[in-house]
Amino acid sequence: MNQPNEPTLAIDVYRKRRERVLAALRAAGGGVAIVPTAPEVLRNRDADYPYRHDSYFYYLTGFTEPEALLVLDASAASGEPASILFCRAKNVERETWEGFRFGPEGAREAFGLDAAFPVDEIDSQMPLILADKPSLHYALGTSAALDRQVRGWLDGVRARARSGVAAPQAAIDLLPLLDEMRLIKDAHELAIMRRAGEISALAHRRAMAACHPGIREYELEAELLYTFRKYGAQGPAYGSIVAAGANACVLHYPAGNAIARDGDLILIDAACELDGYASDITRTFPASGRFTPAQRELYDIVLAAQQAAIDATRAGATFDDPHNAAVRVLSQGLLDTGIVDRAVYASVDDVIAERAYAPFYMHRTGHWIGMDVHDCGDYRERGAPRDAQGALPARTLQPSMVLTVEPGLYIRPSENVPERYWNIGIRIEDDAVVTEDGCELLTRGVPVKADEIEALMQEAQAAAGKTRDA
Ligand code: GLY
Ligand code: MN
Ligand code: MN
């Protein structure tokens, strides 16, 4: 079980979120919301994948045990329970094998719910809870297992139709409401995300300091994983990318066993999950501790693109503004270096209009981040007028949204590209909280300027008595 460090200190945070959901449902006519946690998943015989709770469920409960489901009854009469948890019963034998369980009564008390039942009673209790309620709100069509369960509960209500009980007449998707709540982070979430960013930055520092020509990608990954756990994070927020040399041009390359050679760059995209919150950092650095001139040229272009994107990240800007700012700087750099042919593209505007940058920069400059590394929330203004191409306008940034800023350049060998740039892959990624007049970067505990990266690495090499400059 992936138990957060401080499971019960934030009861009010979760209670207030449940109250917001209940208030929104009441304002829309009441009904019952259902939010299950994630299932356990078998990896291979008798061994499960490490358990990770469902993010929506955790957002509303803080509860990390599997086999649990939250019910929010916005039509409960006063005095009746509105927040109800189903969870595993206490079981001395199972707890001997698997560890502590709160049990319904313990969970109700520790997590501030109105009522709790053993999950084994869910099929008998749910038809009672759903009876005569106007609507059912849940993540429609996201889980065949949940859809099947809901159908069974509705059948259970309908079986009592002769006694005058009616089943809900509407099923409504709950996720848009929860997605909008999760998109704007509260102070509790931002505090955890700051700490996650600090731990991940320490991990990157440690990997840079440990690096030397001849090291293998998995050895650098080990430095990252060590640091995540050393400082109390539960693990990586996503599969760690540690890519030496040409591997950096593979966007989702997992840490493998390639050797980092003198003259290679190493791209590390790795970060921890702390108490249910992700961080997401990429740094690119030279195995030797010194960038080659060609690497440095491209590095400084990507860094300038990231700075332009950061400068464009503020409340009132749109989600597309940082991307457009980064694309402009990258496109200019591609022209200046001759990677994009100056004989074909006369200006940076042409490069952008023709998307001539796309073979070298094929991803977006950021994504929402929060409980999920690619977090929930619309990237377009839902319901706004569409433009001539039928597209919705980009989302306007608001304070306390959190997004990554992660431009890159990936230069695969091609006869149209100067050879000195072949196989260079660079990405620089930080996590930014939107503020009224700019943004707060959560992940700058690790250097990002080329000179500062070189200084850190050389200091570490000198300290290890392994200076390789001579
Ligand atoms: N690490 C995943 C991403 O950068 O989006
Ligand atoms: Mn990212
Ligand atoms: Mn990343």
Side-chain angles (χ1 to χ4, degrees), residues 269 280 367 373-374 404 406 429:
D269 182 347
D280 189 4
H367 49 81
V373 67
H374 291 181
T404 64
E406 51 175 308
E429 175 172 31

Side-chain angles (χ1 to χ4, degrees), residues 95-110:
E95 288 178 64
T96 303
W97 287 86
E98 294 161 6
F100 174 79
R101 303 173 169 192
F102 277 93
E105 188 47 31
R108 190 194 64 70
E109 199 173 319

